[in-house]
Amino acid sequence: MEDTDTQWDLMTRVLHWGLALTISAQLISGPLVADPQTRAFFYFHEWDGLAASAFILLTWMWMYAIQDLGALFPWNRVGIQAVWADICGLFRGKLPPGGRNCIGFASFGHGLGLLAATGMALTGIWIFFIIPGGHGASAASSDFREYMQISGLHKIISYFVWAYWIGHIGFAILHQIQGAPIFRGIFIGSPDKEGLKQ
């Protein structure tokens, strides 16, 4: 893989840091929010969720601004063929190409992950802002049924985010092992090309 494949611009790296930290915190704190003994995690989960939602919104805006939505959602004939070729390659033991300019399984996976995170954010915002009583809804509340339905959907979507999170980290590690400087490129950037990318 060419080194230029792992050169992300500064804004993409900042957004990735924000998404990585806030969504990881969401996934880790999520199982703790239902336990009354860990109530502090509930409030942390709420406010971190709002921060994650802001990063998700900014990511959508940035992907639109730099015209990367076509890579994240390659739903035309050429894109679908590229995704299918990468999937077939996986069954032959070939790791799909990754990096900034790749269109195929990796970029499509990123798009699905962004959709899942967006679904989790929207249901979380619904619980927090739209349901009367929001995060304070109790069993005695007339809105408790709606709260439980949206909360259940929020939890189901979180499983997809977990699957993406595990797969994303797993593939990044595999790329790194094969010699592609994925971690340096997305978290730090390449010092020798920083001037060109900013």
Side-chain angles (χ1 to χ4, degrees), residues 74-92:
W75 291 340
N76 57 28
R77 186 176 57 83
V78 174
I80 291 170
Q81 287 175 343
V83 172
W84 181 248
D86 286 349
I87 291 171
C88 292
L90 271 175
F91 285 108
R92 294 191 303 270

Side-chain angles (χ1 to χ4, degrees), residues 29 31-43:
S29 64
L32 302 171
V33 299
D35 185 350
Q37 301 300 317
T38 57
R39 194 68 176 167
F41 285 103
F42 181 78
Y43 298 111

Side-chain angles (χ1 to χ4, degrees), residues 78-115:
V78 174
I80 291 170
Q81 287 175 343
V83 172
W84 181 248
D86 286 349
I87 291 171
C88 292
L90 271 175
F91 285 108
R92 294 191 303 270
K94 181 182 176 187
L95 193 62
R100 178 73 176 83
N101 299 315
C102 293
I103 294 179
F105 183 73
S107 62
F108 183 58
H110 283 91
L112 292 178
L114 183 58
L115 282 177

Side-chain angles (χ1 to χ4, degrees), residues 3 6-18 20 176 181-195 197-198:
D3 188 53
T6 58
Q7 301 311 303
W8 283 272
D9 57 85
L10 177 62
M11 186 62 173
T12 299
R13 292 200 317 271
V14 168
L15 290 171
H16 188 270
W17 267 108
Q176 190 72 31
I182 294 290
F183 293 124
R184 185 195 71 200
I186 194 63
F187 285 114
I188 301 169
S190 179
D192 56 329
K193 298 187 179 182
E194 272 310 284
K197 303 308 288 185
Q198 297 179 25

